[in-house]
Amino acid sequence: MDVNDNKNTTRTNINFPTMSTDYVEIDDALYSRQRYVLGDTAMQKMAKSCVFLSGIGGLGLEIAKNIVLAGIKALTIHDTEICQPWDLGTNFFICENDVLKRRNRAEAVLQHIAELNPYVHVSSSSLPLNETTDLSFLDKYQCVVLTECRLSLQKKINAFCRSQCPPIKFISADVHGIWSRLFCDFGDEFEVSDTTGEEPKEIFISNITQANPGIVTCLENRPHKLQSGQFVTFREINGMTALNGSIQQITVVSPFSFHIGDTTKLEPYLHGGIAVQVKTPKVFHFESLEKQIKHAKCLVADFSKPEAPLQIHTAMLALDQFQEYYNRKPHIRSQQDSEELLKLATFISSTLEEKPEVNADIVNWLSWTAQGFLPPLAAAVGGIASQEVLKAVTGKFSPLCQWLYIEAADLVESLGKPEREEFLPRGDRYDALRACIGDSLCQKLQNLNIFLVGCGAIGCEMLKNFALLGIGTGKEKGMITITDPDLIEKSNLNRQFLFRPHHIQKPKSYTAAAATVKINPQIKIDAHLNKVCPATEAIYSDEFYTQQDIIITALDNVEARRYVDSRCLANLRPLIDSGTMGTKGHTEVIVPHLTESYNSHRDPPEEEIPFCTLKSFPAAIEHTIQWARDKFESSFSHKPSLFNKFWQTYHSAEEVLQKIQTGQSLEGSSQVIKLLSRRPRNWFQCVELARLKFEKYFNHKALQLLHCFPLDTRLRDGSLFWQSPKRPPSPIKFELNEPLHFSFIQSAAKLYASIYCIPFTEKDLSPDALFSILSNIKIEEFKPSKKVVQTDEAARKPDHVPISSEEERTAIFQLKRAISSNEATTSDLQMAVLSFEKDDDHNGHVDFITAASNLRAKMYSIEPANRLKTKRIAGKIIPAIATSTAAVSGLVALEMLKVAGGYPFEAYKNCFFNLAIPIMVFTETSEVRKTEIRNGITFTIWDRWIIHGKEDFTLLDFINAVKEKYGLEPTMVVQGVKMLYVPIMPGHAKRLKLTMHKLAKPSTEKKYVDLTVSFAPDSDEDEDLPGPPVRYYFNDDTD
């Protein structure tokens, strides 16, 4: 029986051809962040792929959402169930009306799924899929995904998928209460083009030995980060040139060296060279579901419980058997059913190859909760399963081989022995959740106050989880506060699933709040448009934080995370942080008095590109892109801003001329006057300015460098100046017909016209119009200057360059000429300031940076980058995909349940995953560190000593109060970065008599100040002993 050919099928255009070879245009405005994760080849394959998904419960819907957002060609959703009240708590697209009308689940959600992506054909089917169904209808799909499907039928469909040529990729996934499983079978041989998705590594070489095997050493302080067995190719080697273009397999010797084949017969190595990693396809071998049941290959996610996957595997097989026998799942908290399941598990274990030990706790909790459903677990598993679907249809990234079990047993292990009634259904939307965590915790969730910072991709997913869990729905208590200052852009729609095209340019927070209320009408959300930063502390005050039960960050930068963490620390609030970058994701849970805080650990700062490398000696495309971005900022943002600020201070050119002539030094005057004197007056002059810049940047700069350092220049030790990583430049001669040259002129002229407010038309931008202007522009010949070229890598860009007397005279002359020519009017003293905007393809910003970067790359013989890569690096775009966002949000929500329940330290887990490899690692959180001062007096970051003062309270009073209350006398008092009292500092002894009010200078609304104190060491040689923060209240009536 064909599941698709039936009158119940909605949107019937589903007889899709097998994968075509036609090119599909990729909508960059929608998919830009995802393109950086998957690449265009994978995106093309995906856009030609059809997927069949059976089972549209909570897990099936999560998978459908993610793969439709990603942009497959077509999806058929299949389900035979009718909407029930508890679907409202598991399926975020089913509403109360669907339950009342007893609609089929697939038909109820079809339109909502289709709205997620206009490029994807979504259809539904509600026909039976069982042991007697003719499966030939599946041959039009590249991937089949089964959820809520009996094991016997899974085996039958898996066998059919394997019998096809090529095999149809098969995935099955299930969530039973607090337990989940995921299985993949992509056929006997599945070739993956790129196993990791990481950029191929480029390694600068300092030496290659003539030996067997030859050892390649990379430049000092630059580890190669390669692994044995990988392949590299070489280029630009001087001396041992036979290696250039060859591909060699490597064996790692150290972080800075690796060996290759026999180099004894090659010419000696002289200098230079780059080794580039070569990505090679890898074939993965899968076994059928039938075989894998007996001999399961599992990915271990929690290394503290390596035996758990096989134990859960056994228990779940017993559950499958139970359903076959009794045509139902075990009853909630039924002792009889759990005993029966344990017998089945014991028998099944004896039939498996590994004969795993049966874990009675796992079997019991599986039996007791199997009828339930935990939405955050479905979000996590759904994200991972969706990524496996994308791997199946693209051959990009390493697939799961072949089972993954994720559980939330920590949730029930800390519940103790609650009454059976706690878990029984009550006929509402939370019955599935109640069966997992009990009614008491459900009530706590409904009464929670949560502050969600950020309503982007993770924020949208979190709000969906909140709605399904009933957070903030209590009649008396409970509120979700959300804030995000951003407006919705088209590129957000690819991951931020609460938004639709008609929401573009509307506030994220208001729109997300409205969409969340549709999922759960009882939810209460207070949506704001504020940044959370020092400037908004009047809104997000201490009082606000103390009213919150949990703070959850959905931010995209470290600085904001650190700030929110500091506010949570100051107000003793739990914080759950998370983030994604491409297929990678992390979660971190921070609980007062139990764990370290986010600020307790710091990643090493990002390496800055040395100033001299950017200015004169680029060695990689990243250097030329950063140079081009800096040129954009300098020419079109910084200089216009400086220009406007100057003329707001001095209101006329005559006033400035008079001041300079009388010897006054006006900061920035020389640069401002130069800008005024060179101000273009029409489109012709904008093109002329762009042409002059071309000559300066890409011809004269190279000639000047080669004038200072001819190609045969040698250093004091006799080695060549121009050797790796320094690359000698070659001047570029302007060619009218070179597309790259034309692109630079066109985009630069356009930007100059924008900042000088000069109108231009589309016709002005045409090749004919520009060629006509360019052919009339005269270019002066290069004359070497006496400028010193900086070669010291440690040198930084100078903040202020002194003005010479000659430059001052030139400025006076230029300003006089501008005044006399009537070219210093009020309108001449204004410029438009451009802010770099990466996602507007019509503003010319990325075009300018791409052309400038690639011209500079050509000048230095560096491999150029396409517009997409340039946009990512220049715009500091974080690659993103819906799969990892969904997975992260589910993991955060699982930890949130534990925080809400007040669970002990052992229950909390941090997680890191990379869905591309795939790996998933759960670890214990960092336990808070105790610091001993002396005599057994200890403190942690969460401790705070409190001193109440009054208006005339002096610093000496404060020190005595600390000594009297805590038994230790402070020897140093610091407020932030301000030292209030350090005895050895001159004049500080006098401060003892000053009032705390005068020393700390609080703002009017501040009732307290947080101070850091330290204490005298035990001996003179030691450093002062640190103490906890001391919160000093200016009046004794506050706390």
Side-chain angles (χ1 to χ4, degrees), residues 225-257:
K225 297 179 182 174
L226 295 169
Q227 295 173 3
S228 293
Q230 291 181 327
F231 292 85
V232 296
T233 185
F234 296 92
R235 66 170 195 255
E236 301 177 30
I237 293 173
N238 290 279
M240 208 176 273
T241 52
L243 284 178
N244 288 331
S246 71
I247 294 178
Q248 307 284 336
Q249 191 168 19
I250 69 113
T251 302
V252 172
V253 176
S254 78
F256 300 94
S257 61

Side-chain angles (χ1 to χ4, degrees), residues 392-424:
V393 299
T394 64
K396 175 96 175 190
F397 305 139
S398 302
L400 170 67
C401 292
Q402 288 186 253
W403 299 88
L404 173 65
Y405 289 95
I406 303 176
E407 38 79 13
D410 290 330
L411 279 175
V412 294
E413 284 167 3
S414 300
L415 285 177
K417 299 269 183 183
E419 293 297 315
R420 178 169 176 264
E421 286 66 33
E422 271 276 300
F423 298 86
L424 295 180

Side-chain angles (χ1 to χ4, degrees), residues 933-934 939 945 962 966 968-972 1013-1018 1023-1028 1030:
I933 305 172
R934 68 158 67 93
F939 70 93
W945 291 358
V962 172
Y966 296 103
L968 291 166
E969 183 177 347
T971 51
M972 192 157 72
V1013 297
S1014 54
F1015 306 97
D1018 292 326
E1023 291 184 7
D1024 280 7
L1025 303 170
V1030 178

Side-chain angles (χ1 to χ4, degrees), residues 623-672:
H623 301 161
T624 68
I625 292 171
Q626 186 59 54
W627 172 87
R629 173 71 201 267
D630 290 350
K631 281 282 174 259
F632 177 94
E633 292 297 334
S634 168
S635 302
F636 309 118
S637 182
H638 177 67
K639 284 178 182 174
S641 182
L642 194 80
F643 188 88
N644 291 345
K645 194 176 173 186
F646 184 88
W647 293 115
Q648 282 160 9
T649 308
Y650 310 103
H651 302 296
S652 72
E654 289 79 7
E655 179 195 346
V656 169
L657 181 63
Q658 184 192 351
K659 285 180 185 294
I660 296 174
Q661 285 177 325
T662 56
Q664 288 189 48
S665 177
L666 307 184
E667 192 179 344
S669 59
S670 176
Q671 199 171 16
V672 165

